[in-house]
Amino acid sequence: MSIFSGDSRSTWADAFIAGIPYAVASGMKVTELGKGTVSLYQPARDTWTGDSELQMIHTGCLSVLADTACGLAVGAAMDTPEPIATLDLRMDYLRPAMANTELVCKAECYRLSRSIGFVRGQVFQIGQDEPVATVNATFMRATANTRRKDMAAAAPAGADAKAALTPTQAAASLSSPASIEPSPVFISQRADVPESLALPPGRSPYVDFLDIHQQMQIDAGPIFRLPFKRELIGNPVLPALHGGVLAGFGETAMILHLTNTNPAIKGVPRGIDFAIAYMRSAKPADTFVQGTTVRQGNRVALVQVSIWQDDPQRPVAQARGHCLMPRDEG
């Protein structure tokens, strides 16, 4: 039996967005909603610029918007809301998204089984007929939805567990948001390692927003650190970092890995596609990533990244993607 009417589904969707710190910080808003379909709007901001010289939106911003929209589509496909978690997400970047433009992701849950939701969607720049990216994602249903008692304990499978609350429960959770602080038990094991900003300030406003630091240069390539801040939370109930933020961090590390391991290249590699698989929820703590070049040709490179928190041997997610290498005009 469905508890959703048209009005209650809209109330739930608005509460869903309002309960996600990252979505609130980015100004996301549901503009259309149906049974298993959603259009999610994100306003233009200079913060989303990935390259100040080329004036392009960082592809990680598209991933966060797409992941959020896909989660909404799964929730909107259900007769009774329940917790869900992103299992995997794949982005294909069809053309560059120009900076300081509004975005909308249109997502559809086209198959909802007893255990899994399957979603596809497209990301558009407002006013443009052709999409800048496509997304395909899968979500696990009926995941854990209780607040962590011990931050050092093993987390349940599925990195971006989203609480699909009833409209009444969602509204109540907004009136008394839980405090989200990093666990003192879960302090970075590499906190004493010398590090620097991954890029000079202003080079990439999105990298500045994430405050990514580069820790060490070793044979396999540098390690990058994403400091925890509340705006990166995707599930305030567990709590857990937003799965789209992990994707954006992984995509950033993929590009930075190529520029660090290819110092002779002129320009910045550009993402062609990106696929991420989530293994466990990411706690409210500093997060690390390291990349490996799987294959590099004259025009295209394939990079794999591993994302972890307390233990490199227990990654919270793993991802890989193809990048278009800058042309040598010389």
Side-chain angles (χ1 to χ4, degrees), residues 3 19 21 34 79 82 122 128 196 211 248 259 277 280 288 308 320:
I3 70 167
D79 291 329
E82 62 189 55
Q122 296 178 312
Q128 300 293 324
S196 60
D211 194 26
T259 56
R280 52 186 56 86
F288 303 86
W308 75 90
R320 59 191 292 161

Side-chain angles (χ1 to χ4, degrees), residues 57-109:
I57 293 178
H58 194 292
T59 53
C61 298
L62 308 183
S63 297
V64 185
L65 177 64
D67 180 55
T68 308
C70 288
L72 269 168
V74 174
M78 298 177 180
D79 291 329
T80 303
E82 62 189 55
I84 57 175
T86 315
L87 290 177
D88 60 50
L89 182 85
R90 177 189 167 93
M91 300 291 298
D92 289 295
Y93 303 112
L94 309 181
R95 53 185 53 82
M98 302 313 297
N100 292 304
T101 55
E102 301 168 298
L103 298 170
V104 63
C105 181
K106 300 180 179 182
E108 172 196 14
C109 180

Side-chain angles (χ1 to χ4, degrees), residues 4 9 12 34-37 72-80 109-110 112:
F4 271 147
R9 181 175 278 110
W12 165 82
K35 176 72 171 179
T37 63
L72 269 168
V74 174
M78 298 177 180
D79 291 329
T80 303
C109 180
Y110 61 92
L112 186 66

Side-chain angles (χ1 to χ4, degrees), residues 3-311:
I3 70 167
F4 271 147
S5 65
D7 290 342
S8 64
R9 181 175 278 110
S10 295
T11 301
W12 165 82
D14 290 340
F16 182 97
I17 291 298
I20 300 175
Y22 184 94
V24 173
S26 62
M28 292 182 188
K29 181 180 179 181
V30 177
T31 55
E32 294 182 23
L33 187 70
K35 176 72 171 179
T37 63
V38 67
S39 291
L40 187 63
Y41 165 83
Q42 179 171 285
R45 289 189 183 174
D46 182 64
T47 305
W48 310 143
T49 303
D51 190 312
S52 295
E53 292 183 2
L54 298 179
Q55 283 295 297
M56 294 179 184
I57 293 178
H58 194 292
T59 53
C61 298
L62 308 183
S63 297
V64 185
L65 177 64
D67 180 55
T68 308
C70 288
L72 269 168
V74 174
M78 298 177 180
D79 291 329
T80 303
E82 62 189 55
I84 57 175
T86 315
L87 290 177
D88 60 50
L89 182 85
R90 177 189 167 93
M91 300 291 298
D92 289 295
Y93 303 112
L94 309 181
R95 53 185 53 82
M98 302 313 297
N100 292 304
T101 55
E102 301 168 298
L103 298 170
V104 63
C105 181
K106 300 180 179 182
E108 172 196 14
C109 180
Y110 61 92
R111 163 70 174 151
L112 186 66
S113 72
R114 287 182 294 179
S115 301
I116 305 295
F118 299 86
V119 195
R120 59 193 169 207
Q122 296 178 312
V123 181
F124 295 85
Q125 291 185 294
I126 299 295
Q128 300 293 324
D129 295 330
E130 297 294 329
V132 295
T134 60
V135 57
N136 287 274
T138 56
F139 288 76
M140 180 172 61
R141 300 180 60 178
T143 59
N145 189 29
T146 56
R147 190 167 179 81
R148 290 188 168 101
K149 303 300 182 182
D150 180 1
M151 294 299 294
D160 189 23
K162 300 178 177 67
L165 307 179
T166 67
T168 301
Q169 291 171 326
S173 70
L174 297 181
S175 62
S176 56
S179 173
I180 302 172
E181 299 294 341
S183 167
V185 179
F186 212 61
I187 295 174
S188 161
Q189 293 182 348
R190 298 183 178 275
D192 59 343
V193 175
E195 64 178 19
S196 60
L197 291 174
L199 289 175
R203 181 67 178 84
S204 173
Y206 186 68
V207 173
D208 294 342
F209 166 73
L210 293 180
D211 194 26
I212 297 175
H213 285 63
Q214 181 173 323
Q215 282 210 334
M216 55 192 298
Q217 182 78 39
I218 58 178
D219 291 343
I223 292 175
F224 300 98
R225 179 175 69 90
L226 174 68
F228 169 74
K229 57 182 176 180
R230 188 181 185 278
E231 291 82 358
L232 304 184
I233 287 291
N235 183 348
V237 178
L238 288 179
L241 297 183
H242 197 301
V245 170
L246 294 180
F249 181 37
E251 290 179 78
T252 302
M254 185 172 71
I255 300 296
L256 293 175
H257 170 83
L258 287 174
T259 56
N260 274 270
T261 54
N262 295 270
I265 64 172
K266 298 179 180 179
V268 179
R270 180 161 62 88
I272 300 171
D273 57 50
F274 184 81
I276 183 168
Y278 300 98
M279 301 176 181
R280 52 186 56 86
S281 57
K283 301 176 177 68
D286 288 5
T287 306
F288 303 86
V289 64
Q290 186 173 31
T292 302
T293 302
V294 179
R295 180 186 180 277
Q296 183 168 332
N298 292 330
R299 297 292 291 123
V300 174
L302 174 61
V303 180
Q304 181 171 300
V305 297
S306 180
I307 306 171
W308 75 90
Q309 290 186 316
D310 58 334
D311 184 354

